[in-house]
Amino acid sequence: MRISVVIPTYKRPESLLRALRSVREQSWPQHEVIVVDNAADPEVARLVGEVAAAAPVPVRYVSEPELGLHNARHAGARAARGEILVFTDDDATFDSGWLAAYARRFSEHPEMAAASGAIRLAWEKLPPQWLVDYIGDAKDFGLLGLRESYPDFRLEPDGVLYGGNMAIRRDVLFAVGGFNPENFGDVWLGDGETGLNRKLWQRDLLVGYVPAALVYHHIPPARMTVRYLCRRMANEGACGEYAAFHDGIPGPPGLALRLGRISLALGKLALLTAWRAVVARDRFALLRARLGLAFHMYRVRYVLRLSHDRAFRALVTKTDWLAVPDVGTAAESLAGRAPGAGHLPAGRAQ
């Protein structure tokens, strides 16, 4: 079974080099590595070329200057020669049995369309105590990519793919139309692999969880802040609104109704915060309130944008981002002329 590892990268050559050195240690020999550069940086091309010259398996560089993580993933999928596509990020390192674990489960279960593996956090410096306490004993903490859901292999019709560590049969990815968009520069548009999950569920395709396919997600100090967690929550708000409007955008009355519902959610958040702080004596009540506020306020911004931005509306309702090449001018227009775009949360943390 041949596997293609797709690693999108964007202006993080040091992290990328660490990831490439790690993937070189894989015990499964039948694989290739495709680095997709979303910044089209000659320095990254040179770095990948040096790694490729000494690598025991094929390592290829693909330039994808069209901004967007989905664009980078799709460029890698088009270039891939393997029957199984494994997607990860440039800020990850890997257990030596990572690919072997995927290969085994896909071979044993031909009915498995896709799978995700465990993700552990690798702190690049000692995290602040408040963050350690907030995560607690959680096995899943999506804001930082932690996922160790179960101790054993599972195969379910409602299994979940996580972006930093996921595998899918190449023909399945193309059949369902690929990933939904995530971000164009600083403008967050859609729901990425969350949308891919829904496409798989709608078709009753089985998704596995492979705990032995273990990835380590490296967390720099810049992500150990309340500000970063709020930005991630704002992105989640965009994901939810994209899912709500992807199949059709209502007229002004429908959008006004949506804003009213968000206002009610903000009111409930205020009451819940007061209860947590006064009655439950939750030491994280204010933090949860800040995260909730970031989530709902981005929802407001998203709906307001739908009301007046035609380019944005067209991208929200686009259905197939893989089989049909993306329209670069629309994306560039969206990122370049967006009102207040500089204040929107960046989809890819630098």
Side-chain angles (χ1 to χ4, degrees):
M1 176 175 290
R2 187 158 182 80
I3 293 175
S4 295
V5 179
V6 178
I7 307 178
T9 189
Y10 184 75
K11 296 183 178 180
R12 291 197 293 213
E14 298 84 3
S15 294
L16 173 63
L17 183 58
R18 179 181 60 199
L20 291 174
R21 286 171 174 167
S22 178
V23 79
R24 188 170 56 190
E25 305 301 320
Q26 289 301 297
S27 61
W28 184 256
Q30 299 176 49
H31 73 274
E32 64 174 350
V33 179
I34 301 171
V35 176
V36 185
D37 184 6
N38 214 186
D41 184 353
E43 179 63 20
V44 172
R46 182 194 63 78
L47 180 153
V48 174
E50 291 179 355
V51 171
V57 299
V59 178
R60 290 188 283 146
Y61 172 86
V62 174
S63 175
E64 177 49 78
E66 185 78 27
L67 275 179
L69 180 56
H70 65 292
N71 288 327
R73 286 171 170 168
H74 291 163
R78 293 187 185 102
R81 297 165 184 160
E83 60 188 286
I84 303 297
L85 307 181
V86 175
F87 292 91
T88 187
D89 295 325
D90 62 2
D91 57 357
T93 53
F94 318 96
D95 182 85
S96 61
W98 175 48
L99 297 181
Y102 275 134
R104 174 191 169 196
R105 294 302 184 181
F106 275 104
S107 295
E108 292 175 343
H109 299 277
E111 74 277 20
M112 186 168 76
S116 197
I119 304 174
R120 293 178 185 169
L121 303 183
W123 305 105
E124 293 188 358
K125 73 173 242 182
L126 191 67
Q129 191 59 47
W130 69 264
L131 181 56
V132 174
D133 293 344
Y134 185 61
I135 297 173
D137 298 328
K139 298 297 183 183
D140 294 296
F141 188 74
L143 297 183
L144 291 178
L146 170 66
R147 191 194 186 202
E148 288 195 86
S149 305
Y150 312 107
D152 303 312
F153 171 75
R154 291 193 175 206
L155 185 58
E156 302 171 310
D158 57 353
V160 177
L161 297 179
Y162 278 65
N165 183 13
M166 58 184 172
I168 187 168
R169 296 187 189 274
R170 189 177 188 274
D171 58 346
V172 170
L173 183 69
F174 279 81
V176 302
F179 295 93
N180 286 343
E182 291 193 357
N183 63 307
F184 292 100
D186 285 345
V187 179
W188 194 267
L189 173 69
D191 57 1
E193 65 267 11
T194 302
L196 178 57
N197 282 319
R198 282 199 302 274
K199 293 177 184 180
L200 297 174
W201 298 337
Q202 289 166 0
R203 292 164 174 81
D204 296 321
L205 296 174
L206 297 178
V207 178
Y209 174 70
V210 185
L214 175 60
V215 162
Y216 297 91
H217 183 209
H218 291 255
I219 310 297
R223 298 188 183 185
M224 305 177 196
T225 66
V226 173
R227 181 178 181 181
Y228 176 78
L229 297 184
C230 285
R231 189 170 70 186
R232 285 299 309 272
M233 283 299 294
N235 294 345
E236 292 297 319
C239 289
E241 296 312 294
Y242 176 88
F245 295 111
H246 179 54
D247 292 332
I249 301 172
L255 293 176
L257 179 61
R258 187 73 173 183
L259 289 173
R261 289 173 177 170
I262 297 172
S263 298
L264 287 176
L266 283 166
K268 290 179 181 178
L269 175 64
L271 293 174
L272 183 59
T273 299
W275 181 86
R276 283 172 173 165
V278 177
V279 179
R281 298 187 179 276
D282 181 356
R283 59 178 288 211
F284 293 114
L286 293 181
L287 173 58
R288 298 185 206 278
R290 288 186 63 179
L291 296 178
L293 183 63
F295 175 82
H296 291 303
M297 290 308 297
Y298 198 94
R299 294 178 65 199
V300 170
R301 190 174 296 182
Y302 198 100
V303 175
L304 289 175
R305 187 163 196 168
L306 284 173
S307 70
H308 70 269
D309 191 328
R310 288 187 177 182
F312 191 68
R313 292 166 66 96
L315 291 172
V316 168
T317 54
K318 183 174 177 176
T319 57
D320 191 336
W321 292 83
L322 179 54
V324 180
D326 292 325
V327 181
T329 55
E332 291 165 7
S333 174
L334 173 67
R337 64 173 176 76
H343 302 289
L344 297 179
R348 190 190 298 239
Q350 303 301 322

PDB file of all heavy atoms in Angstrom, residues 210 224 329:
ATOM      1  N   VAL A 210      -7.323   5.710  14.739  1.00  0.00           N
ATOM      2  CA  VAL A 210      -6.156   4.830  14.838  1.00  0.00           C
ATOM      3  C   VAL A 210      -5.196   5.426  15.870  1.00  0.00           C
ATOM      4  O   VAL A 210      -4.366   6.280  15.547  1.00  0.00           O
ATOM      5  CB  VAL A 210      -5.464   4.685  13.466  1.00  0.00           C
ATOM      6  CG1 VAL A 210      -4.318   3.676  13.554  1.00  0.00           C
ATOM      7  CG2 VAL A 210      -6.468   4.270  12.392  1.00  0.00           C
ATOM      8  N   MET A 224       0.252  29.984  23.634  1.00  0.00           N
ATOM      9  CA  MET A 224      -0.073  29.730  25.032  1.00  0.00           C
ATOM     10  C   MET A 224      -0.670  30.983  25.665  1.00  0.00           C
ATOM     11  O   MET A 224      -0.335  31.356  26.797  1.00  0.00           O
ATOM     12  CB  MET A 224       1.181  29.312  25.803  1.00  0.00           C
ATOM     13  CG  MET A 224       1.923  28.129  25.212  1.00  0.00           C
ATOM     14  SD  MET A 224       3.437  27.758  26.145  1.00  0.00           S
ATOM     15  CE  MET A 224       4.305  26.704  24.992  1.00  0.00           C
ATOM     16  N   THR A 329      -9.082  35.307  -8.562  1.00  0.00           N
ATOM     17  CA  THR A 329      -9.439  36.719  -8.469  1.00  0.00           C
ATOM     18  C   THR A 329     -10.468  36.977  -7.384  1.00  0.00           C
ATOM     19  O   THR A 329     -10.412  37.979  -6.684  1.00  0.00           O
ATOM     20  CB  THR A 329      -9.976  37.208  -9.822  1.00  0.00           C
ATOM     21  OG1 THR A 329     -11.057  36.365 -10.227  1.00  0.00           O
ATOM     22  CG2 THR A 329      -8.888  37.182 -10.878  1.00  0.00           C
TER      23      THR A 329
END
